[in-house]
Amino acid sequence: IGETAAGVFYGVQTLKQLIEFDGSASKIWTGTVRDWPAMKYRGVHDDLSRGPFPTLAFQKHQLEVFAANKVNLYSPYFEHTLQYSGDPLAAPPGSSLTRAEARELAAFASHLHIMIVPEQEAFGHLHHVLQYEKYAGVAETPHGYVIAPGQPGTLPLIQSWFTQIAGDFPSPFLHIGADETFDLGTGRTKADVASRGLGPVYADFLTAIHATLEPLHRRLLFWGDVAGSDPAAIERLSKDMIAIPWIYWHQDNYDSNILPFKKAGIETWVAPGDANWRVVYPIGRTALDNIAGFVESGQRLGSTGELTTVWDDDGEGLFNQDWFGVLFGAAAGWQPGKSDGAAYQAKFGRTFYGDPTGKIDQAQRELMAATDGIDVSDETFWLDPWSKAGQAKAASMRTKISAARLHAEQAIELIETVLSTQPHVREREALQAMELGARRVDFIGMKFQLSDEMSASYARAYAMKDDKNHETETRELLYSISSMNGRCQDLRDGYSMIKDLYKSSWLAENRPYWLDNVLVRYDLQIENWQRRGDEVNALIEEWQRRKTLPTAQEAGIPPPQ
C-alpha cells in the first residue's frame, strides 16, 4: 500500500529484497514494513564525457538496478557527448547520445519512477567543444575549457543547448554544472575579474544563465564551488536555484560545505563520490566513509537531495566496478541518519548478486584491504618500474606489496569460485569487472616485485660473470630475467592477459569508441617488455660467447634497492 504509484513501486522493491535463494530453494521473510525516504531526491551522477560511453542497453540496465534500489534521479554528465540539432559539430560519432536515444531513455526511466536530469556543462569543462574554431568567439582562452561570460554568442549557445534538453528530458530541473572554472579571469574576462573580483563575475554569469533559461520553467542545479572560492558571492545568486556542494574525501564535519547556501536561503543537494576515478578499482572504504558522512550532514541541515558521483577522469573507468559505492549512496539517501557502511557491506553480496555463500562479500573485503595497502592508481599501473619514478614508488610500497597481493589473489579466487559454482548468481559481468580490478591490483604488486628480482639477479650475475665455477648459476640468473620463464616475459604476459579481460569488460557495457585509446597503452607496455626481453637475450648470447656483460646501467637495468 502506498499513497502514490512510486510508493507502491518501492514497496515491491522491498518485497523483492525479502526473497532469498539458498541455491536450492527460495524463501520469503514475512513481516510488516513501514518505510519512506529520508531525502526527496536520491540520484546517481554518471560521467559520460571522459572516455567510456555506455550502450543504450546498458543504460537501461543501470536504470533498472537504480530503480530496484529506490534511486529516483539519474544525471548523465555531458561536456560534448549529447548530440544537438543546432550544434552538431562537437559530439563525436559513435560516442554521443542522439535525440532519439535521449527520448527513448527518458521514457524508459519514467516507467521506473526515475527522472533523468542531464548535466550539460555551461561554464567550465568545455574544452572538447571549444577546441573547434566555430566556438572561438565564446572561449575564455583560445581552445581552452572555460566559456567566457559577456560574449555575444555565449548565452545564445547555452539557450540552444538547454532548450533541446528541456524538450527531450521532461523533468523539473536543468543542471548547468559550473564547477572548476579555473581559467576564468585569465583571458577575455581578465579586466572584469581584476576590477570586480572572481566571485561576482562568476555569480553574475550564473544569474545571466538563470535569466536566459527562465522561459523554460525549470529550476537550475549548479555545483557549489562558489562556497569555497567566494562565499560572499552566494548572495548574488537567485534563491530558486539549487546548489550542489561536492566533497569526495573524508571530513570530520561536512557542514561548512552546506551552510553558506543554507544561510542564503538556497536549497541544497549533497554530492559525495564513489572514489572510482584514476584508480584500477574504486577505493571502497573511502566511498563508504564519504557518502555516510556527507549525506548525514545533508539530511541534518535540510538538503533535499543526494547525488552520488562517478567520474572517469582517466578515460578507463568501468561502471560495472561502481555498483558497491553508488548503491550505498542510494541506501544513505533513503534511510535517515548516518548509514552504517559495515552493515551495508555485509549484505551487499546477497542483495545485489544473489550470492548466498558470503564469498562475494568476503571478496569485497579482500579488495578493500588490498586497495588500502598499496597505491592502486592508474598512474602506478602504467608506471615503468625501471624508471626513476618507478623506483621511488617501489620504495614507498615494498613492505606492503606481499600482503596486498595476497588479499587481491584471495578476492580473485573467491569470485572465480562463485562464477563457477553458483549458476543463479546475478550481475555476472559486474563480477567479471570486479575480478579484473583484483587482477590489476595484483599485477601492480607483482610488477614491482619482479623488477626488484631482475635488479638483484643481474647484480649477482654481473658479479660472477668472470667466475667459471659459477657459470651455470650466472646463466640461470640471466635466464630468470629473460627466457621462457623470464620476468620480462611475465610482465609482457600480464599486460597481455589484462588487456583481453579489460576489453571484454569494456564492451560488456560501453560502445567501442575510445577503447583504442586505452588498449594502446597495453600495447605499448607489451612491446616494452618484449623489447627488453629481446635485449637481455642478446646480452645472454654475448656472455655465452665471450663471458662479458655490460654494467647494469649500460643494460638499462636499475641497481638493487
Side-chain angles (χ1 to χ4, degrees), residues 165-358:
I165 289 174
D168 293 346
F169 297 97
S171 85
F173 307 109
L174 296 173
H175 193 335
I176 62 172
D179 59 314
E180 299 184 330
T181 54
F182 303 127
D183 263 9
L184 186 65
T186 65
R188 282 192 162 99
T189 63
K190 186 173 184 178
D192 194 19
V193 169
S195 172
R196 299 196 294 127
L198 189 66
V201 173
Y202 175 95
D204 287 354
F205 185 50
L206 263 61
T207 300
I209 294 174
H210 178 270
T212 299
L213 300 183
E214 191 169 14
L216 298 177
H217 304 293
R218 308 294 179 88
R219 296 187 68 188
L220 300 190
L221 308 170
F222 69 98
W223 296 117
D225 293 33
V226 68
S229 60
D230 189 352
I234 293 174
E235 292 293 339
R236 307 172 76 100
L237 298 173
S238 171
K239 297 300 185 287
D240 70 346
M241 298 173 73
I242 300 175
I244 310 179
W246 54 271
I247 296 292
Y248 302 147
W249 50 88
H250 172 81
Q251 290 190 347
D252 292 336
N253 186 292
Y254 292 85
D255 293 7
S256 62
N257 304 285
I258 304 167
L259 285 171
F261 300 105
K262 181 179 175 66
K263 291 175 180 177
I266 295 176
E267 184 178 341
T268 59
W269 298 358
V270 293
D274 180 46
N276 72 301
W277 43 91
R278 300 193 183 101
V279 289
V280 300
Y281 193 77
I283 310 301
R285 212 174 307 278
T286 298
L288 295 181
D289 173 76
N290 173 235
I291 292 167
F294 201 6
V295 173
E296 184 277 330
S297 287
Q299 290 186 11
R300 181 166 37 78
L301 296 176
S303 298
T304 56
E306 180 275 340
L307 196 62
T308 303
T309 56
V310 169
W311 294 106
D312 296 324
D313 302 34
D314 50 14
E316 300 181 26
L318 298 169
F319 194 92
N320 265 331
Q321 294 181 339
D322 295 325
W323 292 112
F324 181 74
V326 298
L327 296 184
F328 182 61
W334 180 274
Q335 57 199 26
K338 188 171 185 178
S339 294
D340 186 339
Y344 167 84
Q345 197 276 327
K347 299 292 185 181
F348 184 74
R350 179 185 288 274
T351 303
F352 182 65
Y353 291 107
D355 171 35
T357 69

Side-chain angles (χ1 to χ4, degrees), residues 458 461 474-482 536 540 543 549:
Y458 196 82
T474 302
R475 183 191 67 225
E476 293 305 311
L477 286 168
L478 294 172
Y479 278 161
S480 74
I481 301 172
S482 180
V536 173
I540 295 172
W543 173 78
L549 284 174

